[in-house]
Amino acid sequence: MNMFESSLIKQQFNDDGFAIIQNFFDRSIIDELKIETEKLVSQFENDEKSGLYIFTAGTEMKSDQYFLESGDKIRYFLEKDAFDYDGNLVVNIKHSLNKIGHALHWLNPVFRRFTFNEKFKQLAMTLGLKDPVIVQSMIIFKNPKIGGEVVEHQDASYLHTFPKPNGSVIGFWIPFEDATEQNGCLEFIPGSHQTIPLPSRWIRSKNPINGSTQMKHTNPDVKYVGQFIPAPAKSGSCVVIDGMVVHRSAPNHSDLPRPIYTFHMFDRAKFDDSRWDENNWLQPTDELPFPSLYDN
């Protein structure tokens, strides 16, 4: 990126809460990620435990231990619409995945090399991030016909920071194939990162009956007010997402897949007293403290 491009990206991001950088990566790099994704899917197909862990974004967010302990692991989550009412799989098992997460950026060599690419470091610096650490990463499949809706939300409701979430959590979102209005591209309320306070949180809590850890939605009936606009992105592009901007994606009813790789960062030096919320579902562990983008 030259200085002019960097200025435009930062301006759009500051104004709208997101920015689209078309053709950020060459096709050869995206092809490498697709090949590695196929290898991961093949490993899943051979796993005797496959088919047990359905993931639904939004008000039914998964809260069992398989999900809650996935921050330092690579785990597989299935689409609910891959099954009929009797629990029978209605698609090929390799097409049943919702996502793979949440430590691809550290545990998989190909995705680790990609995540710590110099282009991401330069982009983070362009956006003014002082000391970003990677907190999670995912491949999200949005497979044809069954790729589920992601309801409107703010990432800060899952990945909350103090003293305030504004500008502390940022996502990078990279499509492997063209993300279009037909196959479920992202949609945003531009500027909502500045106008809509955080009305809802997903927090860890104790089950009053058995004492196990579960997720609690503090305001499940929140409705966001604003005009959503679609944000199509070509394969190899990068969409930058502020943790406070309201966004969503529609179900994929098309015949075309919409696989993407995404990771989130927390700028631990954004404010003098920036800190990660201990009530977030995702927490650093001894096995995987949040790694620095700039130092790796």
Side-chain angles (χ1 to χ4, degrees), residues 2-255:
N2 58 41
M3 291 183 63
F4 178 71
E5 291 173 326
S6 297
S7 178
L8 288 178
I9 292 166
K10 187 173 183 179
Q11 187 66 52
Q12 182 190 3
F13 181 73
N14 289 340
D15 290 348
D16 295 336
F18 70 98
I20 306 172
I21 311 166
Q22 301 285 6
N23 304 311
F24 193 58
F25 284 103
D26 293 337
R27 187 73 221 182
S28 60
I29 295 177
I30 299 302
D31 285 343
E32 183 182 15
L33 298 181
K34 290 172 66 176
I35 291 170
E36 186 64 20
T37 298
E38 285 296 323
K39 292 179 181 178
L40 288 165
V41 172
S42 295
Q43 292 173 20
F44 161 74
E45 290 182 84
N46 295 326
D47 189 340
E48 293 180 357
K49 299 186 296 297
S50 59
L52 297 179
Y53 309 103
I54 297 174
F55 180 86
T56 305
T59 55
E60 299 178 52
M61 184 179 174
K62 199 75 173 174
S63 61
D64 59 31
Q65 295 306 302
Y66 185 80
F67 175 83
L68 291 172
E69 296 174 358
S70 64
D72 57 1
K73 300 174 181 67
I74 296 176
R75 287 186 167 174
Y76 297 82
F77 302 88
L78 307 184
E79 285 282 2
K80 68 174 183 177
D81 289 340
F83 302 86
D84 62 21
Y85 287 110
D86 296 322
N88 300 308
L89 196 64
V90 296
V91 297
N92 185 295
I93 187 69
K94 70 181 296 184
H95 297 141
S96 65
L97 284 165
N98 172 286
K99 68 175 181 176
I100 303 174
H102 291 90
L104 290 161
H105 61 282
W106 198 252
L107 299 180
N108 180 279
V110 173
F111 281 94
R112 179 171 176 166
R113 183 167 62 249
F114 179 71
T115 305
F116 293 95
N117 187 294
E118 285 299 320
K119 296 193 74 169
F120 287 131
K121 296 180 182 182
Q122 293 171 11
L123 179 55
M125 291 177 184
T126 292
L127 298 173
L129 304 189
K130 298 177 181 178
D131 187 14
V133 294
I134 313 295
V135 301
Q136 70 166 2
S137 55
M138 298 174 283
I139 301 165
I140 301 176
F141 289 90
K142 196 80 108 166
N143 278 313
K145 304 299 184 183
I146 65 164
E149 175 188 24
V150 177
V151 300
E152 56 265 30
H153 69 283
Q154 295 158 291
D155 289 342
S157 64
Y158 306 95
L159 309 172
H160 188 257
T161 62
F162 293 108
K164 53 184 178 178
N166 301 67
S168 294
V169 170
I170 291 177
F172 286 172
W173 193 93
I174 303 91
F176 296 169
E177 306 290 350
D178 292 354
T180 69
E181 292 185 61
Q182 288 69 44
N183 66 6
C185 68
L186 292 172
E187 301 175 20
F188 293 91
I189 300 179
S192 54
H193 64 308
Q194 297 175 338
T195 60
I196 298 179
L198 194 64
S200 170
R201 291 278 315 283
W202 280 98
I203 60 174
R204 284 177 174 255
S205 64
K206 289 292 184 182
N207 186 312
I209 298 176
N210 59 23
S212 64
T213 302
Q214 62 182 14
M215 297 299 296
K216 178 182 178 182
H217 200 189
T218 60
N219 186 9
D221 298 321
V222 61
K223 300 296 181 183
Y224 294 99
V225 178
Q227 181 65 46
F228 283 92
I229 66 164
K234 294 287 188 181
S235 171
S237 301
C238 180
V239 184
V240 188
I241 305 170
D242 187 286
M244 285 292 290
V245 71
V246 180
H247 59 291
R248 68 185 184 189
S249 67
N252 182 6
H253 295 309
S254 79
D255 295 320

